[in-house]
Amino acid sequence: MASIKYKSMAYKCADDIIMGSALHPVSEGFGLKIGSGQVIPEINYAPRAGTEKDVERFRKEYVDYISKDALDRCITAGFPAVHLETEWVSQMNQEKLSAPVVAGQKEICEKYHDEYGLACGVRHTIPDQREADEGLRPGMDKVHSYPEKFFGCCDIACENGCDNLSVESVGGKEFADYAVTQGDIVAFLFGVGYLGSVDMEYIWSEMVDVAKRNRTVAGGDTDCSGANTSMFMAGGMLDMDVQKTFSAITRVIAAPRTLVAWECGAVGPDKDCGYEGIINKCIAGKPTTQEGKNCQCAHCDLMGNLTAQICDCWSNESVEYHPEFGGTSVACWMGSLGYEAALMNTAIQTGNAKTLRDLYALTDLTRSPEAYCLAYFNAYEIGQAIVAEGDSYYLRARAGALKACEIMEKGYNDKILRLSKKQYEVLIDSKKKIEALPTEEDTFVEKCVKEYDGVVKNFNMKNYGF
C-alpha cells in the first residue's frame, strides 16, 4: 500500500482541538469508541518475570489475573470503558505463548461487555526485535530472523482476535543512539527523520495489509527508541547529560516519522509513549493516546499534566503485575487512570473541555523546552511547518525542527521560557546546523551517507531498502 502524505492540517485552528474528540474517531473491540466525545483510560501492564517459562501459567497471568483485575476495577469503580494494552514481552514472538493470550483476552473482554455492558478492547503492541547489525529487512538477519518474526507476530495477533495492532518500531535507532550521546542533531535528523520514516513506510504498509485482512484496527507507532531516549537522557531538573533544548528538537523530528503509520492507512490511536502524537493529532485529526502524571509507575517526565491536554486515551505507560495495599498493581493504576479520565469527561460534558485543556497545558508549559513545544498551540504551528513540506521525509522533519527552534527562541526572548546558558547555546547551535543543511533531499542523503559511513555503528543503507 502506498503512503499518502499529509499536506494540510485537519483542524482550522489549534483552539478547535480538545481532549476526547478526534475528527476521525475509531471503533474497535466491544462497543469501544475512541475520539467520539470521551477520554478512554488505557491500562498498560507487564507480567511477572518467569511466568513465560510455562505456557498455561503465562496465559493465566495475562488473562485470569491481569485482564480480570483491570476489568473488575472498572466495574467496581463504575468506569464505563477501558482500552487494555498488551505490550508483548520478547518471548511472545512464538505462537505457543502469544496466541493463547490474544484469544484469552478477547474472550474475557466479550464476557465483561455482555455481562456488565463495559465497552472494552485490547491493543496488542508487538515486539520489534530487529537489530541494525543483523539486518532490518526480511532475508538479512541470518542469526535470529527477527524481521520475519516481526511480521509473523502481526499475523499471530490479528488472526487470534486482537482489536488494535500497534508497535514501537526501531527504524533509525542506531542513529538515534549515536546522535543523543554525541549531541549531533544532524545525525538524528538523518537517522530518525529520514531513514526512520523510510522504515516506517515499509513496515506499516505490511502491517496495515495484515490488519485489514483480519478486520483488525491498525493503531499506530512511537519513536520510543529515539525521542524517548533523548527525553530520558535529558531527564529532570537535576540532570544535564543531554540539554533539554536538544531533546525538544529530537521530539519534533520524531513527529513526521510516527505520522507515517497513519499515512500508510493506520487509524489510531497511536502509542502512549509517543509524546509527538500531540503534533500528529493536530495534523491528521486521528485519536492519540498519551501518558503523563499517571505513569509514575514507569517513569517521570516534566509534562505530566500537559500531555493530557488533547488526548483521546489516557495511559499509565506500563506496570509490572504485583500486589499493592489497594489491590494488585493493575487494579490500582486502573483506578488512577479511570478517575483522571472521569475528570476530563466531566469537563467535556459540562462544556469546560477547553478550560481544562488550557489548565493542563499551562501547568507544565515552561517546565521544560519539550513541554513548551508540545503545548497544543505550539504543536499546531509545528504541524503546519511539517505539512508544508509533505512530499519529502527529510524536508518536513527539517521544517518541523526549525519551527521548534523558532518557537523556543521566541519564548526565551519573550521571557516566557527560561533556559540556562548551555540550553540556549545548544538551541542556537542546533538551529544553525539545521539551517546550513541542503534543501534538496538527494543532496542531504548523499552528504550524510559520506559523513556517517563507518562512524555510526551498524549503519547500513541496505536496512532501508537502498
Side-chain angles (χ1 to χ4, degrees):
M1 176 183 291
S3 65
I4 300 174
K5 306 293 190 300
Y6 287 104
K7 297 182 181 180
S8 62
M9 301 295 285
Y11 295 91
K12 293 181 180 179
C13 66
D15 194 51
D16 290 343
I17 313 170
I18 60 170
M19 65 196 71
S21 293
L23 294 178
H24 306 289
V26 172
S27 296
E28 63 173 78
F30 299 97
L32 194 62
K33 296 180 179 180
I34 302 171
S36 291
Q38 65 173 329
V39 176
I40 308 295
E42 181 166 333
I43 182 74
N44 192 328
Y45 36 74
R48 289 167 289 187
T51 54
E52 76 283 352
K53 295 178 180 179
D54 179 81
V55 173
E56 181 55 25
R57 183 184 174 195
F58 192 66
R59 188 204 68 80
K60 282 181 176 291
E61 183 84 348
Y62 266 118
V63 180
D64 299 340
Y65 305 148
I66 290 174
S67 299
K68 185 176 187 299
D69 285 356
L71 297 174
D72 278 346
R73 183 56 60 97
C74 285
I75 303 305
T76 299
F79 304 143
V82 64
H83 204 205
L84 305 181
E85 182 184 7
T86 300
E87 290 185 346
W88 290 21
V89 295
S90 60
Q91 296 88 346
M92 289 177 72
N93 66 10
Q94 50 186 316
E95 188 169 10
K96 69 176 183 179
L97 275 181
S98 54
V101 170
V102 180
Q105 288 188 302
K106 184 78 170 183
E107 182 179 355
I108 196 171
C109 280
E110 184 175 19
K111 178 178 184 294
Y112 274 72
H113 177 69
D114 290 345
E115 291 187 10
Y116 301 104
L118 181 68
C120 51
V122 188
R123 182 206 297 266
H124 284 272
T125 301
I126 63 166
D128 186 358
Q129 298 169 284
R130 296 176 300 154
E131 299 174 351
D133 55 338
E134 300 295 344
L136 300 182
R137 298 287 179 96
M140 295 179 69
D141 184 350
K142 307 299 183 183
V143 179
H144 307 290
S145 299
Y146 282 146
E148 289 81 359
K149 289 180 179 179
F150 173 89
F151 292 114
C153 287
C154 293
D155 288 324
I156 293 168
C158 292
E159 290 170 1
N160 285 278
C162 91
D163 298 307
N164 186 293
L165 179 67
S166 295
V167 70
E168 297 181 4
S169 62
V170 299
K173 183 181 185 301
E174 70 277 24
F175 265 88
D177 291 344
Y178 170 85
V180 173
T181 56
Q182 299 300 315
D184 189 338
I185 198 63
V186 176
F188 200 95
L189 181 58
F190 178 57
V192 174
Y194 177 70
L195 293 179
S197 295
V198 170
D199 184 66
M200 285 280 291
E201 182 173 348
Y202 172 70
I203 65 169
W204 272 99
S205 294
E206 297 293 325
M207 291 177 70
V208 168
D209 283 345
V210 172
K212 284 186 174 181
R213 288 200 304 270
N214 292 276
R215 296 183 179 180
T216 300
V217 170
D221 211 306
T222 165
D223 187 38
C224 184
S225 64
N228 279 9
T229 298
S230 182
M231 180 180 74
F232 297 147
M233 288 288 288
M237 300 301 183
L238 294 175
D239 303 285
M240 298 186 184
D241 291 336
V242 171
Q243 296 304 313
K244 293 174 179 58
T245 44
F246 181 90
S247 172
I249 299 170
T250 63
R251 176 65 67 187
V252 171
I253 290 172
R257 175 197 183 275
T258 299
L259 185 67
V260 175
W262 289 353
E263 292 177 324
C264 288
V267 297
D270 55 2
K271 278 283 296 160
D272 54 343
C273 60
Y275 291 59
E276 65 273 11
I278 295 169
I279 300 171
N280 291 341
K281 179 178 179 178
C282 294
I283 293 173
K286 293 181 179 180
T288 182
T289 296
Q290 292 293 305
E291 65 187 34
K293 61 184 176 184
N294 296 110
C295 70
Q296 298 299 304
C297 52
H299 63 79
C300 177
D301 59 53
L302 293 175
M303 49 191 130
N305 283 294
L306 183 140
T307 48
Q309 59 191 343
I310 59 170
C311 73
D312 300 289
C313 289
W314 184 239
S315 174
N316 66 309
E317 175 49 89
S318 186
V319 64
E320 183 190 50
Y321 187 70
H322 61 258
E324 300 276 7
F325 286 152
T328 64
S329 57
V330 175
C332 291
W333 286 95
M334 182 66 247
S336 175
L337 289 174
Y339 278 111
E340 190 67 28
L343 171 63
M344 300 185 210
N345 291 330
T346 301
I348 293 168
Q349 293 158 7
T350 59
N352 290 297
K354 290 185 178 181
T355 299
L356 182 59
R357 175 197 66 189
D358 292 349
L359 289 172
Y360 276 140
L362 288 170
T363 301
D364 300 329
L365 179 64
T366 59
R367 201 179 296 275
S368 76
E370 189 167 342
Y372 194 73
C373 287
L374 291 177
Y376 71 93
F377 40 86
N378 287 332
Y380 187 87
E381 286 191 32
I382 291 169
Q384 287 179 308
I386 290 170
V387 299
E389 302 288 354
D391 283 323
S392 169
Y393 287 145
Y394 158 58
L395 289 179
R396 66 187 194 173
R398 178 179 182 270
L402 287 174
K403 176 57 71 172
C405 291
E406 176 190 317
I407 286 171
M408 285 186 283
E409 188 175 7
K410 185 177 187 303
Y412 174 77
N413 290 332
D414 291 345
K415 302 188 184 316
I416 299 173
L417 178 64
R418 291 174 294 177
L419 299 175
S420 68
K421 180 180 178 181
K422 183 63 175 178
Q423 288 172 344
Y424 183 74
E425 288 174 350
V426 168
L427 169 61
I428 299 305
D429 181 64
S430 297
K431 178 184 175 184
K432 289 179 179 178
K433 288 178 178 177
I434 297 169
E435 286 177 332
L437 292 172
T439 55
E440 297 78 28
E441 184 173 290
D442 291 344
T443 305
F444 170 72
V445 173
E446 183 179 352
K447 173 187 181 298
C448 289
V449 170
K450 289 180 180 178
E451 183 173 347
Y452 296 111
D453 187 27
V455 176
V456 175
K457 185 181 179 181
N458 304 328
F459 172 38
N460 183 356
M461 287 293 279
K462 290 183 180 178
N463 280 328
Y464 302 96
F466 297 102

